[in-house]
Amino acid sequence: QVQLVQSGGGSVQGGGSLRLSCTASEYTYYMGWFRQAPGKEREGIAAMNAGGALLFYSDSMKDRFRATRDFAKNTLYLHMDSLKPDDTAMYYCAAKRDIYYTLPPAGEYDYWGQGTQVTVSS
């Protein structure tokens, strides 16, 4: 059983930056970030595979968010810049153990982090 431990997040004013971290207890092929705002569906942000390929679930956050991965530490980071109040949500990391040849939909991930709240004030 892979465990994912998230850290980071918190409250920030609009225009600010935050970094989230997600550390897996062991190697997984894919690690990704999702978020869910109150009353809204879960939204994919980005994911990175073991080869270092970074893919985004949509283009809407590509200019402000980026993900990096430290393979030695089994840790995925989400760097968020120019944050907006609409970015307020619970952010979750996810991991898929086995090889997957395209960007995994949420249902394909095997493990999920505990979530971390990000609140952006105007």
Side-chain angles (χ1 to χ4, degrees), residues 6-12 17-21 33 78 80 83 89-91 115-120:
Q6 295 181 224
S7 61
S11 297
V12 65
S17 299
L18 283 174
R19 189 185 77 166
L20 306 183
S21 301
W33 288 104
L78 181 65
M80 303 182 290
L83 284 162
M90 187 72 79
Y91 285 69
T116 187
Q117 178 68 37
V118 171
T119 302
V120 184

Side-chain angles (χ1 to χ4, degrees), residues 27-32 47-55 69 71 76 100-104:
Y27 163 85
T28 59
Y29 186 77
Y30 249 111
M31 295 184 75
M48 183 177 287
N49 65 19
L54 175 63
L55 298 174
R69 187 170 175 179
F71 292 96
L76 182 71
Y100 198 83
Y101 293 102
T102 61
L103 185 61

Side-chain angles (χ1 to χ4, degrees), residues 13-89:
Q13 284 195 327
S17 299
L18 283 174
R19 189 185 77 166
L20 306 183
S21 301
C22 173
T23 299
S25 57
E26 59 187 86
Y27 163 85
T28 59
Y29 186 77
Y30 249 111
M31 295 184 75
W33 288 104
F34 292 79
R35 70 182 185 183
Q36 188 165 20
K40 295 187 178 180
E41 293 187 355
R42 181 172 50 192
E43 178 182 26
I45 301 172
M48 183 177 287
N49 65 19
L54 175 63
L55 298 174
F56 282 85
Y57 284 91
S58 75
D59 292 337
S60 63
M61 289 171 272
K62 289 179 70 173
D63 59 340
R64 299 184 297 118
F65 291 9
R66 61 187 175 91
T68 58
R69 187 170 175 179
D70 185 332
F71 292 96
K73 296 180 179 179
N74 290 329
T75 298
L76 182 71
Y77 301 96
L78 181 65
H79 308 263
M80 303 182 290
D81 297 320
S82 302
L83 284 162
K84 306 173 183 178
D86 284 349
D87 294 318
T88 295

